[in-house]
Amino acid sequence: MYKIARKKVLNPTVTQMEIVAPLVAAKAKPGQFIILRVDEKGERIPLTVAGCNTEDGTVKIIFQVVGATTEKLNHKEEGEYIQDFVGPLGVATHTEGIKKVCIIGGGVGCAIAMPVAQEFHRLGADVTSIIGFRNKDLLICEEEFKEASNKLVVMSDDGSYGRHGNVTVPLKEMLEEGETFDLIITIGPVIMMKFVVETARPYNIPVTVSMNPIMIDGTGMCGGCRLTLNQDGKKVTKFACVDGPDFNGYEVDFDEAMSRGRMYFDYERHAYSDACNLFKKA
């Protein structure tokens, strides 16, 4: 059992928790993830590591309440326990040799992008960050990005905070003005990452995307997280849990990834409604 050391509500749908898991905290690096279960009958869900404190042995996770499991997790309070917390899993974000990087996060994906920006900042890289949200109420991690970035641009779809528009707007402006980067890293909704890749394509700047598809065991055995990459004219199957979650954005078949991500949408909404009703009755 893993104790919830701290809990903080970041916005109406996003919560931050720090879980006591010293073995994970000692090994986890930016870009890696864990898989947890809330209780012994619960489903396994992957969540990216949002930070570690090796002194008190805690691992920070940030999650959006979108399904039955995140609803159950959100009802847990400080001092309570969750059943399983396994990790670190996946391959850490590549940082070697990168001197100038652009980090682009969308929505709750900013929770994943934040520790990546912090790591590049720690290594002395020049960090430009672009973060986007639907509206001001959903803003998260702004202060952390300010501290880790040489330049920060905040976007909102409705113009209620920062600049009006999506994250590709300032990226396109920068590239058109001659700005260059060793690497662009984008983390967020699949459709957002697809358009970031298309924005960068004419400029031949490498783009890394962080994929978070359906996942069960996290060891490559179930095949649920498989992705199709287009490499040298051939379709290649990779698994996000062991080969990723980071991939070359120019190789990812985003349309297939989005289609697979919608496969269990109706089931997930039904499970979420059942969980909400259960808590209401309680």
Side-chain angles (χ1 to χ4, degrees):
M1 302 290 284
Y2 294 84
K3 186 177 181 179
I4 300 170
R6 287 171 284 277
K7 178 181 179 181
K8 180 180 180 181
V9 176
L10 300 185
N11 70 37
T13 64
V14 177
T15 299
Q16 173 181 295
M17 286 183 175
E18 293 179 46
I19 310 296
V20 179
L23 294 180
V24 180
K27 296 288 187 179
K29 298 183 182 299
Q32 291 185 297
F33 65 95
I34 56 88
I35 286 182
L36 65 77
R37 286 196 305 165
V38 177
D39 53 52
E40 62 181 10
K41 294 184 179 180
E43 68 170 340
R44 298 160 59 89
I45 63 167
L47 291 172
T48 301
V49 173
C52 296
N53 186 325
T54 55
E55 292 185 2
D56 64 9
T58 58
V59 178
K60 183 187 298 182
I61 55 173
I62 298 176
F63 60 92
Q64 186 172 25
V65 182
V66 293
T69 298
T70 47
E71 178 70 21
K72 291 177 182 178
L73 180 60
N74 199 45
H75 276 78
K76 292 284 187 177
E77 300 297 339
E78 292 182 3
E80 296 185 324
Y81 293 79
I82 60 175
Q83 182 73 29
D84 297 321
F85 196 83
V86 180
L89 301 169
V91 181
T93 297
H94 173 74
T95 58
E96 187 177 351
I98 306 298
K99 301 299 183 183
K100 191 173 184 179
V101 64
C102 181
I103 309 291
I104 302 176
V108 74
C110 292
I112 308 171
M114 175 190 66
V116 175
Q118 291 171 331
E119 178 66 5
F120 277 108
H121 178 71
R122 184 186 72 81
L123 293 171
D126 185 302
V127 180
T128 295
S129 297
I130 304 172
I131 56 176
F133 306 89
R134 289 201 303 273
N135 55 58
K136 180 181 179 179
D137 293 338
L138 301 181
L139 178 72
I140 61 172
C141 303
E142 182 184 16
E143 290 306 314
E144 291 88 343
F145 272 104
K146 281 183 179 178
E147 293 177 1
S149 306
N150 298 82
K151 179 179 181 180
L152 172 64
V153 181
V154 181
M155 306 294 294
S156 59
D157 291 348
D158 65 355
S160 58
Y161 192 80
R163 289 186 56 187
H164 187 193
N166 63 56
V167 294
T168 63
V169 174
L171 175 63
K172 185 176 182 179
E173 290 174 352
M174 292 177 194
L175 297 178
E176 287 179 341
E177 292 170 359
E179 185 68 275
T180 61
F181 301 101
D182 296 327
L183 179 66
I184 296 171
I185 300 176
T186 180
I187 306 171
V190 178
I191 187 66
M192 183 205 83
M193 294 191 291
K194 176 182 178 179
F195 281 104
V196 168
V197 169
E198 293 309 310
T199 300
R201 188 184 297 274
Y203 301 91
N204 296 315
I205 297 175
V207 181
T208 293
V209 298
S210 180
M211 303 300 291
N212 186 26
I214 296 166
M215 197 177 293
I216 300 174
D217 61 77
T219 64
M221 296 295 289
C222 74
C225 68
R226 65 187 180 273
L227 299 165
T228 297
L229 305 185
N230 297 302
Q231 295 180 336
D232 300 322
K234 297 180 180 179
K235 291 186 179 296
V236 178
T237 298
K238 294 289 185 179
F239 301 98
C241 65
V242 292
D243 298 313
D246 290 353
F247 293 93
N248 180 343
Y250 296 118
E251 296 178 347
V252 174
D253 186 334
F254 288 104
D255 293 336
E256 179 188 83
M258 286 186 284
S259 177
R260 286 180 52 77
R262 292 190 293 264
M263 287 176 61
Y264 298 103
F265 179 78
D266 291 340
Y267 173 81
E268 290 168 348
R269 296 309 300 170
H270 180 72
Y272 174 62
S273 297
D274 286 348
C276 289
N277 290 333
L278 182 63
F279 284 113
K280 288 177 181 177
K281 291 178 181 178

